[in-house]
Amino acid sequence: MKEAKKSIVVMKFGGSSVKDVVCLKRAASRVVSTKKAGHRVVVVVSAPGDMTDELIERAHAITDNPDGRELDMLMATGEQISIALLCLSIKTFGIDAISLTGPQAGIWATDVHTKARITKIFPHKVVKGLNTGKVVVVAGFQGLNPDEEIVTLGRGGSDLTAVALAAALNSEVCDIYTDVDGVYTTDPRIVPDAQKINQISYDAMLELAGAGSQVMQARSIEVAKKFGVKIHVKTSLKNKPGTRIMDEKGMEEPVVSGVAYDKNEARLSVRDVPDQPGVAAKIFSALAKESVNVDMIIQSTAQNGLNEISFTVSRQDLKKALSVLEPIRHKLGAKEVFFDDRVAKLSIIGVGMRSHSGVAAKMFSVLADAGINIEMISTSEIKVACVIKESEGQKAVKLVHKAFGLGK
Ligand code: ADP
Ligand code: ASP
Ligand code: MG
């Protein structure tokens, strides 16, 4: 068979799967088996172990508010270590491999430092490597912005690199190798009797990921859905099937497929703002301009011509949000900006919810019976999310997971 006719497989290894020599050798041997099975192989890797966290800590040891460009320059080094070490490891099996950074792989992105989005991929160097029979190993999590600066793609962004490359290369499968057997009904680190889900739709996975299930980055699922990339999440430790993420058609999904928990949340309230047109627009436009993503939003009904606007942001954006809000509060004549950075978001997700009533009521009752106060609620066709105190989060996850019959 000619090289060009073979199917392309994209394999992504997360940080835990490349954290040391033993893991690198294991990952390399998986890559080599796939190559020997007759595929053209593109590999995407994350930084080893917790290196990205450590690099961020090093920047924060110097300054509270590190410059985005330099932070990206620093964070991108982690993935670069992995590509070189994995290539060296693959070569020891007698298979040729070449490492490429995100920019070398032709990954272009928007200019927002630390959370850029991929805009286009020109993978000619990747294709050239494949055409010469090499395994091509690409650094995840990074790209080049229109100013030709290195940017990173948001935490967990290697998943996005893998899926976007799979789409750009018309690859049939994107295999995500991680430290769990697949996607579970909830985080198995919190609820030990969580169960592995064999198949899940893009929509349900998107909500699970968006609600904080770290196993897949939410934006990677958006891209997979858009381009029809089939994802298989599995462990790099054993050879066994994991979770397939695919089109919903023909799939039987339970009413609730999973419970997500995100403690990376902070709640902000702008108090006593005048009840006038344009107030919400001013607040949220200013936050958007600084790339602060807002999640849940609640506006109380007005009393004496004043109301309160509350919303959540991720904890790492809290400082930025507060500094954006202060001048606006002043301009609007609002009383104060209150914040609580000890809240968490608990969500139930399931495509089956669309046709079942009473799902939200059941979740609220479980929390009420346990004396857990709900501070904010948001719902969609396939999700109910509640903001609660972080200190009650783990207990809440366990209770809700059990109430919907998701345990073993
Ligand atoms: P990688 O380094 O391979 O990208 P991550 O740490 O980003 O891995 O994601 C895997 C982790 O996600 C697991 O160790 C698990 O604790 C956590 N996780 C959270 N929610 C879920 C879930 N619903 N199913 C599986 N894993 C989950
Ligand atoms: N190393 C990056 C992170 O820790 C990207 C990734 O692991 O996907 O967020
Ligand atoms: Mg990850």
Side-chain angles (χ1 to χ4, degrees):
M1 201 195 288
K2 265 174 59 195
E3 282 290 338
K5 294 262 170 65
K6 291 177 184 168
S7 64
I8 296 178
V9 172
V10 175
M11 308 172 78
K12 179 252 169 181
F13 292 89
S16 49
S17 308
V18 291
K19 68 171 190 278
D20 55 27
V21 175
V22 173
C23 292
L24 279 162
K25 284 194 173 152
R26 194 185 292 127
S29 114
R30 269 192 197 288
V31 170
V32 168
S33 309
T34 309
K35 170 83 178 151
K36 286 191 173 160
H39 299 286
R40 305 207 287 162
V41 185
V42 175
V43 185
V44 173
V45 279
S46 299
D50 295 326
M51 185 174 283
T52 308
D53 289 327
E54 287 155 22
L55 292 170
I56 295 172
E57 269 170 36
R58 286 176 73 171
H60 280 271
I62 294 173
T63 163
D64 264 358
N65 196 8
D67 174 73
R69 180 187 186 277
E70 302 312 328
L71 195 56
D72 273 348
M73 191 64 97
L74 179 68
M75 285 197 289
T77 61
E79 271 65 18
Q80 224 166 302
I81 291 176
S82 295
I83 51 172
L85 292 177
L86 186 61
C87 278
L88 291 175
S89 202
I90 294 169
K91 282 169 187 274
T92 64
F93 288 81
I95 296 283
D96 203 3
I98 181 173
S99 63
L100 299 177
T101 63
Q104 284 179 313
I107 297 174
W108 288 86
T110 54
D111 61 2
V112 187
H113 280 293
T114 74
K115 39 178 136 164
R117 287 174 171 266
I118 294 180
T119 48
K120 55 194 175 193
I121 300 185
F122 295 124
H124 42 268
K125 254 179 114 63
V126 177
V127 173
K128 188 175 161 201
L130 292 174
N131 286 346
T132 49
K134 295 185 178 101
V135 168
V136 180
V137 182
V138 179
F141 183 51
Q142 49 178 258
L144 212 55
N145 78 6
D147 285 336
E148 300 191 13
E149 300 280 2
I150 289 179
V151 285
T152 61
L153 307 173
R155 296 307 304 270
S158 298
D159 297 332
L160 177 62
T161 305
V163 173
L165 265 174
L169 296 165
N170 279 322
S171 146
E172 281 166 18
V173 249
C174 181
D175 287 336
I176 304 283
Y177 291 90
T178 181
D179 62 349
V180 266
D181 291 348
V183 179
Y184 276 66
T185 48
T186 195
D187 190 341
R189 279 192 284 215
I190 301 179
V191 181
D193 80 340
Q195 295 195 75
K196 194 186 86 193
I197 303 171
N198 293 327
Q199 288 189 3
I200 187 167
S201 62
Y202 291 123
D203 287 342
M205 189 63 228
L206 184 56
E207 292 282 8
L208 261 183
S213 292
Q214 191 191 340
V215 61
M216 285 297 298
Q217 192 217 32
R219 273 174 28 228
S220 70
I221 307 296
E222 277 171 23
V223 173
K225 183 181 176 188
K226 188 165 165 196
F227 295 98
V229 176
K230 290 193 196 85
I231 299 177
H232 191 177
V233 182
K234 48 187 161 179
T235 171
S236 56
L237 297 175
K238 289 171 254 167
N239 217 345
K240 64 178 202 178
T243 301
R244 294 188 183 275
I245 307 172
M246 53 172 75
D247 222 300
E248 182 183 327
K249 284 182 215 98
M251 274 174 58
E252 256 307 319
E253 284 199 275
V255 177
V256 173
S257 349
V259 177
Y261 175 62
D262 190 355
K263 53 180 189 189
N264 180 29
E265 295 269 317
R267 182 167 67 84
L268 288 144
S269 302
V270 189
R271 289 186 169 159
D272 287 353
V273 280
D275 185 31
Q276 286 162 3
V279 168
K282 277 199 190 88
I283 293 177
F284 296 110
S285 308
L287 290 165
K289 206 168 145 231
E290 291 301 316
S291 301
V292 174
N293 291 333
V294 172
D295 186 13
M296 286 189 211
I297 302 176
I298 288 182
Q299 177 172 310
S300 62
T301 41
Q303 275 183 335
N304 308 323
L306 297 172
N307 54 37
E308 178 172 311
I309 298 181
S310 299
F311 52 92
T312 57
V313 299
S314 70
R315 268 184 213 167
Q316 68 254 30
D317 280 346
L318 177 62
K319 269 194 194 144
K320 206 200 255 177
L322 287 169
S323 67
V324 170
L325 289 172
E326 189 44 37
I328 294 178
R329 178 200 70 78
H330 194 72
K331 233 189 258 162
L332 294 173
K335 191 170 126 207
E336 63 172 341
V337 177
F338 167 87
F339 74 89
D340 183 353
D341 63 354
R342 290 284 151 235
V343 294
K345 184 173 67 176
L346 173 72
S347 315
I348 52 172
I349 285 109
V351 175
M353 263 185 219
R354 284 192 186 120
S355 50
H356 286 77
S357 57
V359 178
K362 183 168 170 182
M363 178 182 190
F364 303 153
S365 305
V366 172
L367 296 176
D369 291 347
I372 295 170
N373 187 41
I374 302 173
E375 299 183 12
M376 295 173 102
I377 297 171
S378 85
T379 60
S380 77
E381 252 196 316
I382 66 166
K383 180 177 79 175
V384 184
C386 298
V387 171
I388 56 175
K389 277 203 192 80
E390 187 192 334
S391 57
E392 296 178 319
Q394 302 225 349
K395 177 172 146 199
V397 175
K398 288 186 184 122
L399 288 170
V400 170
H401 188 258
K402 188 159 176 224
F404 284 97
L406 295 171
K408 277 180 194 141

